[in-house]
Amino acid sequence: MNLVTEHITILNEELILTNQRAIYWNKESALILSDLHIGKTAHFRRHGIPMPDDILQKDLRRLRELINHFNTRRLIIVGDLFHAETNSDMDTFKTWLKQFDDLSLVLVKGNHDRQSQRLMDELNIHVESTLIIDPFIFVHDPSDKTMKNFTFSGHIHPGVLLKGKGKQKLRLPCYQVSENQIILPAFSLFTGLNTRSTITEVVSYAFTDSAIFRLQ
């Protein structure tokens, strides 16, 4: 994993954007991400669509390296940790979690997170509809409305479309940062990109495997 970082400050809090689709919040020793969509590949295979077995493994390997790199104590997922019904990918995730002794996992429930409370308890995941850790609020769905508190969200899988000479086009994932919120890219590599932003007055931090760059 090639890790590139960009430091920004929001409300006097140091945040580290990474090109690996997650943000590290220094004060809380927290890694923040969205839209991991565990179970998506197994769901497709169950419905007869062939999918490689290692898609989830690659996402979890990258997440493990981020957790270890930042010495993360808290994992905050702003929605869509899971994708579909309970399937074999949940067993993979359960086994993966066992390697962390002191990691606290909080899920802000997303539209795909329909698993039972029994499964959440079994995985030791604390579930909230909205999470408040001063000075931030964590939700799943972004909003373009003026809010009193700064929010973190995901859901829309933001990206940017860069146009080159002729018909050359490049689509990249990004963080969308505005006056009152950050919208995170989907953590899973097995997701689409939404390059049609409805958020106004936004700064996009797009990234590749080797760089992060600011677009306004």
Side-chain angles (χ1 to χ4, degrees):
M1 180 184 76
N2 183 37
L3 182 63
V4 181
T5 61
E6 176 79 17
H7 292 241
I8 64 173
T9 301
I10 303 290
L11 299 178
N12 297 318
E13 295 291 336
E14 180 187 3
L15 302 172
I16 303 175
L17 311 183
T18 77
N19 68 329
Q20 298 299 329
R21 301 172 178 242
I23 297 174
Y24 184 69
W25 183 6
N26 191 52
K27 186 185 76 175
E28 294 292 326
S29 299
L31 194 66
I32 307 164
L33 60 138
S34 183
D35 297 276
L36 187 50
H37 287 281
I38 294 169
K40 187 174 183 178
T41 52
H43 174 76
F44 280 13
R45 286 195 297 270
R46 179 179 290 183
H47 290 81
I49 303 173
M51 287 290 160
D53 293 332
D54 64 345
I55 291 176
L56 176 59
Q57 294 290 353
K58 288 180 179 178
D59 284 338
L60 293 178
R61 187 180 309 121
R62 188 162 43 93
L63 182 53
R64 181 192 67 220
E65 291 183 22
L66 284 168
I67 290 170
N68 291 336
H69 175 83
F70 288 110
N71 195 22
T72 303
R73 295 200 304 266
R74 178 185 291 176
L75 195 61
I76 300 174
I77 301 173
V78 288
D80 289 353
L81 169 60
F82 300 108
H83 179 79
E85 72 284 345
T86 300
N87 56 42
S88 58
D89 281 352
M90 281 62 172
D91 293 330
T92 300
F93 183 57
K94 181 179 179 181
T95 300
W96 178 86
L97 276 176
K98 291 179 180 178
Q99 67 188 294
F100 304 106
D101 295 327
D102 301 316
L103 183 67
S104 170
L105 202 163
V106 182
L107 170 63
V108 178
K109 194 171 184 178
N111 55 298
H112 279 280
D113 295 311
R114 308 186 190 103
Q115 282 65 36
S116 67
Q117 185 59 47
R118 179 179 178 181
L119 177 63
M120 298 298 103
D121 292 341
E122 185 178 351
L123 297 175
N124 199 26
I125 299 174
H126 183 72
V127 182
E128 297 278 1
S129 57
T130 300
L131 176 66
I132 301 174
I133 306 176
D134 190 59
F136 301 131
I137 293 181
F138 300 85
V139 295
H140 181 55
D141 294 306
S143 172
D144 200 20
K145 299 178 181 179
T146 301
M147 303 181 72
K148 293 182 179 179
N149 295 82
F150 193 93
T151 65
F152 286 74
S153 63
H155 183 55
I156 66 172
H157 306 180
V160 295
L161 179 63
L162 305 179
K163 297 181 180 180
K165 294 182 180 180
K167 295 183 179 180
Q168 293 181 337
K169 295 180 180 179
L170 179 63
R171 300 170 73 219
L172 296 174
C174 71
Y175 302 89
Q176 291 184 338
V177 183
S178 60
E179 183 180 4
N180 62 346
Q181 67 179 329
I182 291 179
I183 305 175
L184 283 86
F187 187 82
S188 176
L189 300 178
F190 185 43
T191 55
L193 280 179
N194 176 11
T195 58
R196 297 182 179 182
S197 175
T198 60
I199 307 298
T200 59
E201 299 181 5
V202 66
V203 175
S204 295
Y205 289 87
F207 52 86
T208 65
D209 287 339
S210 59
I212 299 177
F213 47 96
R214 188 178 188 268
L215 302 171
Q216 192 166 10

